[in-house]
Amino acid sequence: MTSTNNLISLVMPVYNGVELISETINSIISQSYPYWELIIVNDKSTDNTLEIVNEYKDKDERIKLIDLEENCGGPAKPRNIGIENSKGNFIALIDADDIWHKNKLLEC
């Protein structure tokens, strides 16, 4: 792992994101800039989002999961929880249906 000076914390709130979350996570894993952590805050999804995230989390230690016990009713609170738990010097916000090209973090 790198020092927090170079680390970018990517914060992703998600609620029922099963349709695109795999593609979104893959776009993060494919980043040409390797010093990132992805903090996914699951807002009590009722679909298979949690299972998908756990599969990725088990394969890549840069992916962190915060699984909320109650739904917050929108992405603001889960996003703030993710920010509070971030370790990076920089924070980038991403939604569960965003797809980033491979140099996105290099261009920030």
Side-chain angles (χ1 to χ4, degrees):
M1 197 63 140
T2 185
S3 73
T4 56
N5 291 339
N6 298 326
L7 186 67
I8 301 175
S9 296
L10 312 175
V11 177
M12 178 195 302
V14 61
Y15 175 74
N16 290 349
V18 73
E19 288 185 32
L20 288 174
I21 196 161
S22 291
E23 191 172 352
T24 301
I25 294 171
N26 285 331
S27 78
I28 299 303
I29 291 171
S30 299
Q31 288 297 300
S32 55
Y33 184 83
Y35 305 116
W36 53 263
E37 67 172 350
L38 174 58
I39 302 168
I40 301 172
V41 184
N42 181 41
D43 195 15
K44 197 67 174 174
S45 293
T46 58
D47 61 5
N48 291 334
T49 297
L50 186 58
E51 290 81 9
I52 293 169
V53 172
N54 275 319
E55 287 178 20
Y56 281 97
K57 182 179 73 76
D58 292 344
K59 295 176 185 173
D60 193 323
E61 66 181 16
R62 299 173 294 178
I63 299 173
K64 317 288 191 270
L65 171 64
I66 299 171
D67 189 25
L68 302 180
E69 293 183 17
E70 293 182 18
N71 182 273
C72 297
K77 185 173 181 180
R79 187 173 286 124
N80 287 333
I81 290 169
I83 292 169
E84 290 169 5
N85 285 276
S86 65
K87 294 184 175 105
N89 198 36
F90 302 97
I91 295 174
L93 305 177
I94 183 169
D95 291 322
D97 60 354
D98 292 346
I99 310 301
W100 284 2
H101 62 82
K102 70 177 187 162
N103 292 322
K104 170 76 173 171
L105 293 176
L106 285 176
E107 296 170 358
C108 293

